[in-house]
Amino acid sequence: MKNKLILPILMASAILVSCKEEMKQRNIEMTYPETVKKPVIDTLFGTEVVDNYRWLEDDRSKETEDWVKAENAVTFDYLSKIPYREQLKSRLSELWNYEKVGRPFKEGDYTYFYKNNGLQNQYVVYRKKGDSDAEVFLDPNTFSEDGTTSLGSLSFSEDGKTAAYAISEGGSDWRKIIVMDAESKLIKEDTLVDVKFSGISWYKNEGFYYSSYDKPKGSELSAKTDQHKLYYHKLGTSQKEDAVIFGAKASEKHRYVGGYVTEDNKYLVITASVSTSGNKLFIKDLEAKNNKLVTVLDHVKSDTYVTKNKGSKLYLVTNLDAPNKKVVTVDFKNPTQENWKDLIPETENVLSLSSGAGYFFAEYMVDAVSKVLQYDFEGKLIREVKLPGVGSSGGFGGKTDAKELYFSFTNYSTPGSLYKFNPKDGTYETYWKPAVDFNSDAYTSKQVFYTSKDGTKVPMIITHKKGVELNGKNPTILYGYGGFNISLTPSFSIANAVWMEQGGVYAVPNLRGGGEYGKKWHIAGTQLRKQNVFDDFIAAAEYLIENKYTSSDYLAIRGGSNGGLLVGATMTQRPELMKVALPAVGVLDMLRYHTFTAGAGWAYDYGTANDSKEMFDYLKGYSPVHNVKEGVKYPATMVTTGDHDDRVVPAHSFKFAAELQAKQTGSNPTLIRIETNAGHGAGTPVAKTIEQYSDIFGFTLFNMGFDQLPNPPKSKIKS
């Protein structure tokens, strides 16, 4: 690749200049920051690609910092003129303010659970012993004054007397691990630093395994990381003494490496991947004197892991030659594929497995809706667990000796509740039900199947108030993802409840690229088939319009991360189809995404511009940053990102917003809202989340022409 820098066309600072573009229908005069063009030309496969805004990739420069401030000033000035922005914030706060409780889990003599009293920025970890009152064990709200330091993983030693927990500062994927005496809650030793994409897996009471990269040179937010290593930390020693278990050798170089110990402390399982799909699998007998690493799979053609063991008998979940996944057994002494025996065979529906109390619980997605079957360890079907309704379940996991298990249930109009399950007789009772100021009975969800461009049938769940008139004028959010084998299943969202209170329609299609119908469905939306995902999304929008749920003047499209790419590609391909576009933390520069942090690991889904001319041309053909055109009227757009996002670096959003502002025709605003001291989304304080949604919904309704809220509650929302 050739790379040459052309001298800046304009001054090197981002200064405010008036473009005097008037939103006539709103009487708001837009003044965008002038984003300086400093063209960099890359030549790939004989084609020159001009990148005018590469300088925005430097997240440490004063110039980028000034640009962020200037863009936020314009955005928040615009948002301040939306008359009902504070009303939305008030209603979101009201509805959010209810107690939320997580599934209990037992460690040592205590039962632990997560709880949020309502508007706490972070969930608090509580514990109780026997029938005693619950006490606070860890309160992440005390980690920082502004609530931006969050709790990641929490793991306990075998006896439950020592805890190790990870924290994230400012939303970063880089974590610190703190070791604490669980009884006294006193810190035991020095904090481990520079840990990334890692679990915490204990070996007995002696120490734990974790994963990380060497600290990159340059920006820790955007510099490339591609050699992951598994470490073992022995209690009482310093981090610099931690042994590298896997990943240091050239032959062991992988982008993602994970390690975990089986419940009986007998085996260490190691997974190694070069991308987000497919892994090699290794296992080590921790009790043997000559405990060499044994290879189970030496290729990355499947997603396979050890879920359980009973002595030397291993239970594996795999999609190798089984796109919808199955459970197999094999003996540790001869663990390779030719010795595998099916325990729970593959079905036509996608399997997710959990175990607890000596049973397996196979959750199947049947058109994105949960069905749960209970098996014993010999593969005998015990029963189907009859769920409380049609929706999504989760849980059923626990230790082998557990006497009771817990599961959750939710759908788009039903807030998540917890149930205590008796694994012996299959009965369950309500353990906790939220007291939410939302009448679920007033709403309805309907699953439809529509036809995509190539004839593929795609499911979509549409949720709204009962009695909504299908007149084409309902404000509608079409939300999608479509990638990385991730499934969108029905779940309740406080924010979406507020949207539907306003008469809004909320629609979620299960696009190709996701995992709703197994590996084949995933593959159908990857690399040179990625356009299928955008076509599925476009067809969903057309279905909603044709069936009078909405019209182009009242349709907003929304998605985050890979879903941000979905929105960016859709709005540049069909700008007339929607009124509002809301790409969040999106992968938007498809020619350079693989050069940042762990982005190269996404190549399984996307391919890279360096792979071949065909792949380069294909990516360039839909890359949102490269497909914003002069003279096109794009929908009202609010790009959202976090300045500390080190997964999908904010430069993607910066460059896309700059292109839109430079080329937009007409009066639709093209803004970028940059959350400061925030990352990709995990651990975002509740206060910031409420502010984000009030701005997103306010911007959406405002640009659909609403001068006041469609359905303002008379007594609960104050101006």
Side-chain angles (χ1 to χ4, degrees):
M1 180 194 298
K2 299 177 190 173
N3 191 349
K4 55 183 177 180
L5 177 66
I6 297 177
L7 291 174
I9 295 173
L10 299 172
M11 293 174 56
S13 60
I15 57 173
L16 283 176
V17 296
S18 174
C19 66
K20 303 291 185 183
E21 184 177 358
E22 185 178 352
M23 284 185 63
K24 294 180 181 178
Q25 73 273 29
R26 290 296 174 204
N27 198 30
I28 296 178
E29 187 178 273
M30 295 300 301
T31 303
Y32 296 119
E34 178 69 32
T35 306
V36 180
K37 293 182 179 179
K38 301 181 185 182
V40 175
I41 296 180
D42 296 326
T43 302
L44 292 92
F45 301 101
T47 301
E48 289 191 345
V49 181
V50 180
D51 188 344
N52 286 320
Y53 305 114
R54 178 133 343 148
W55 62 272
L56 285 169
E57 293 178 3
D58 186 355
D59 51 72
R60 298 184 299 170
S61 76
K62 179 69 163 57
E63 194 175 12
T64 301
E65 181 184 350
D66 290 344
W67 183 87
V68 168
K69 290 178 180 176
E71 288 287 348
N72 267 346
V74 170
T75 297
F76 285 103
D77 179 66
Y78 178 95
L79 293 171
S80 70
K81 294 179 172 62
I82 297 173
Y84 39 78
R85 180 185 179 207
E86 288 301 316
Q87 289 180 297
L88 285 168
K89 183 178 177 181
S90 175
R91 180 56 182 150
L92 281 160
S93 297
E94 283 181 347
L95 194 55
W96 219 290
N97 193 15
Y98 71 92
E99 185 180 80
K100 306 161 195 73
V101 177
R103 293 189 294 269
F105 57 98
K106 192 167 174 50
E107 298 290 349
D109 296 330
Y110 292 91
T111 297
Y112 292 82
F113 59 95
Y114 288 76
K115 186 175 82 170
N116 190 307
N117 289 338
L119 295 176
Q120 289 175 293
N121 280 321
Q122 306 290 344
Y123 274 71
V124 178
V125 183
Y126 288 82
R127 71 177 180 186
K128 59 185 299 185
K129 184 185 290 187
D131 295 327
S132 63
D133 293 336
E135 64 172 358
V136 173
F137 178 66
L138 270 179
D139 185 359
N141 297 290
T142 64
F143 292 173
S144 61
E145 289 186 9
D146 60 0
T148 58
T149 299
S150 60
L151 176 65
S153 52
L154 168 64
S155 183
F156 290 83
S157 59
E158 183 181 25
D159 60 11
K161 293 182 178 179
T162 309
Y165 62 93
I167 62 170
S168 167
E169 296 169 316
S172 174
D173 280 332
W174 289 100
R175 305 290 166 92
K176 295 177 179 177
I177 295 179
I178 298 167
V179 181
M180 185 173 73
D181 180 278
E183 188 62 43
S184 66
K185 294 184 275 191
L186 296 176
I187 305 302
K188 292 188 70 168
E189 55 182 58
D190 292 341
T191 296
L192 278 65
V193 298
D194 301 333
V195 177
K196 189 172 185 179
F197 296 155
S198 178
I200 301 173
S201 184
W202 282 85
Y203 174 62
K204 299 183 178 179
N205 305 310
E206 299 173 12
F208 54 83
Y209 295 88
Y210 68 95
S211 305
S212 196
Y213 305 91
D214 293 336
K215 199 69 175 284
K217 296 176 182 178
S219 170
E220 68 175 61
L221 292 179
S222 58
K224 191 172 183 178
T225 50
D226 64 356
Q227 186 164 0
H228 216 196
K229 299 175 184 177
L230 179 67
Y231 294 86
Y232 177 70
H233 176 72
K234 185 177 180 181
L235 291 186
T237 64
S238 66
Q239 185 177 7
K240 65 182 180 181
E241 298 175 71
D242 291 353
V244 179
I245 305 302
F246 186 93
K249 303 174 187 175
S251 61
E252 296 176 346
K253 182 179 178 180
H254 292 82
R255 196 161 285 115
Y256 309 107
V257 172
Y260 55 96
V261 180
T262 55
E263 185 182 345
D264 61 0
N265 288 293
K266 183 172 176 58
Y267 297 112
L268 170 66
V269 182
I270 298 176
T271 60
S273 310
V274 293
S275 71
T276 50
S277 288
N279 65 275
K280 297 177 184 176
L281 184 64
F282 309 94
I283 190 166
K284 178 186 284 191
D285 186 343
L286 296 174
E287 297 176 346
K289 292 181 180 179
N290 184 20
N291 58 353
K292 291 182 179 180
L293 205 58
V294 176
T295 300
V296 181
L297 286 175
D298 62 357
H299 58 75
V300 293
K301 297 176 183 177
S302 71
D303 301 287
T304 303
Y305 64 93
V306 177
T307 183
K308 205 77 181 171
N309 73 293
K310 200 172 181 181
S312 65
K313 186 178 183 179
L314 307 177
Y315 297 84
L316 282 65
V317 177
T318 184
N319 60 9
L320 187 60
D321 300 326
N324 292 339
K325 297 184 183 178
K326 63 181 179 179
V327 181
V328 300
T329 61
V330 71
D331 194 273
F332 168 77
K333 297 182 183 67
N334 296 290
T336 50
Q337 183 190 356
E338 63 269 18
N339 299 305
W340 294 0
K341 295 180 181 178
D342 285 3
L343 184 81
I344 303 177
E346 182 190 22
T347 72
E348 62 181 354
N349 300 309
V350 181
L351 167 69
S352 295
L353 193 78
S354 58
S355 64
Y359 296 97
F360 288 124
F361 294 87
E363 179 194 340
Y364 292 97
M365 276 187 291
V366 182
D367 295 327
V369 172
S370 291
K371 175 181 179 180
V372 177
L373 301 180
Q374 181 180 350
Y375 291 89
D376 67 17
F377 277 14
E378 301 306 312
K380 178 186 175 183
L381 176 63
I382 304 300
R383 63 177 60 87
E384 177 181 349
V385 179
K386 298 295 184 182
L387 298 174
V390 177
S392 302
S393 68
F396 295 101
K399 296 183 178 180
T400 302
D401 61 358
K403 304 300 181 190
E404 55 199 23
L405 302 172
Y406 298 84
F407 72 92
S408 60
F409 180 81
T410 182
N411 57 36
Y412 286 119
S413 60
T414 305
S417 297
L418 293 180
Y419 298 85
K420 184 163 68 173
F421 177 78
N422 184 328
K424 294 298 183 185
D425 61 17
T427 60
Y428 59 83
E429 60 187 47
T430 301
Y431 176 77
W432 172 82
K433 192 171 185 177
V436 189
D437 183 20
F438 180 76
N439 180 15
S440 299
D441 293 336
Y443 296 81
T444 182
S445 282
K446 176 184 179 183
Q447 186 174 58
V448 301
F449 289 82
Y450 64 91
T451 305
S452 191
K453 183 178 180 179
D454 65 356
T456 299
K457 292 292 184 182
V458 181
M460 174 166 59
I461 295 180
I462 307 169
T463 309
H464 54 77
K465 273 186 177 179
K466 291 177 180 175
V468 162
E469 184 181 354
L470 301 185
N471 58 8
K473 295 183 179 180
N474 300 304
T476 297
I477 289 178
L478 176 64
Y479 180 87
Y481 188 79
F484 295 91
N485 205 34
I486 290 172
S487 303
L488 297 185
T489 57
S491 64
F492 181 77
S493 159
I494 299 166
N496 292 337
V498 170
W499 174 256
M500 292 188 294
E501 279 185 339
Q502 296 307 313
V505 175
Y506 185 69
V508 182
N510 297 113
L511 313 172
R512 279 175 284 184
E516 290 86 355
Y517 293 104
K519 197 66 177 175
K520 291 179 181 177
W521 194 253
H522 174 208
I523 295 297
T526 61
Q527 297 194 22
L528 296 173
R529 298 166 291 272
K530 188 66 179 175
Q531 184 61 40
N532 287 336
V533 185
F534 313 141
D535 289 342
D536 289 355
F537 201 52
I538 289 167
E542 291 173 338
Y543 177 93
L544 293 169
I545 292 168
E546 289 167 4
N547 288 275
K548 302 296 184 182
Y549 284 96
T550 192
S551 60
S552 292
D553 286 337
Y554 295 95
L555 176 64
I557 59 173
R558 184 163 182 259
S561 196
N562 174 72
L565 163 62
L566 172 68
V567 172
T570 302
M571 66 177 282
T572 50
Q573 291 182 15
R574 292 289 304 276
E576 83 293 346
L577 189 60
M578 74 294 300
K579 182 62 179 176
V580 177
L582 302 164
V585 294
V587 187
L588 299 162
D589 184 342
M590 298 309 296
L591 301 187
R592 286 181 57 75
Y593 78 87
H594 60 291
T595 65
F596 306 114
T597 61
W602 311 334
Y604 184 95
D605 262 56
Y606 298 145
T608 77
N610 298 328
D611 290 348
S612 66
K613 185 178 188 305
E614 183 183 25
M615 195 73 250
F616 160 70
D617 288 338
Y618 193 87
L619 288 166
K620 187 173 181 291
Y622 75 77
S623 175
V625 165
H626 299 91
N627 283 279
V628 180
K629 296 178 173 62
E630 296 275 6
V632 174
K633 182 180 179 181
Y634 290 101
T637 303
M638 187 164 69
V639 181
T640 53
T641 189
D643 67 346
H644 278 64
D645 190 342
D646 49 4
R647 192 171 309 177
V648 180
V649 295
H652 285 276
S653 295
F654 294 174
K655 292 161 79 171
F656 188 54
E659 291 284 352
L660 284 170
Q661 290 178 355
K663 297 175 180 176
Q664 169 74 303
T665 294
S667 58
N668 288 333
T670 51
L671 305 174
I672 181 168
R673 185 189 187 281
I674 305 156
E675 192 70 67
T676 55
N677 204 24
H680 199 57
T684 301
V686 166
K688 282 183 179 285
T689 302
I690 288 173
E691 289 173 357
Q692 289 168 5
Y693 275 113
S694 62
D695 290 345
I696 289 167
F697 292 160
F699 178 86
T700 299
L701 291 169
F702 195 58
N703 282 282
M704 288 177 177
F706 291 95
D707 293 316
Q708 61 181 19
L709 288 178
N711 185 30
K714 296 177 181 178
S715 60
K716 293 184 178 178
I717 297 183
K718 300 177 182 178
S719 299

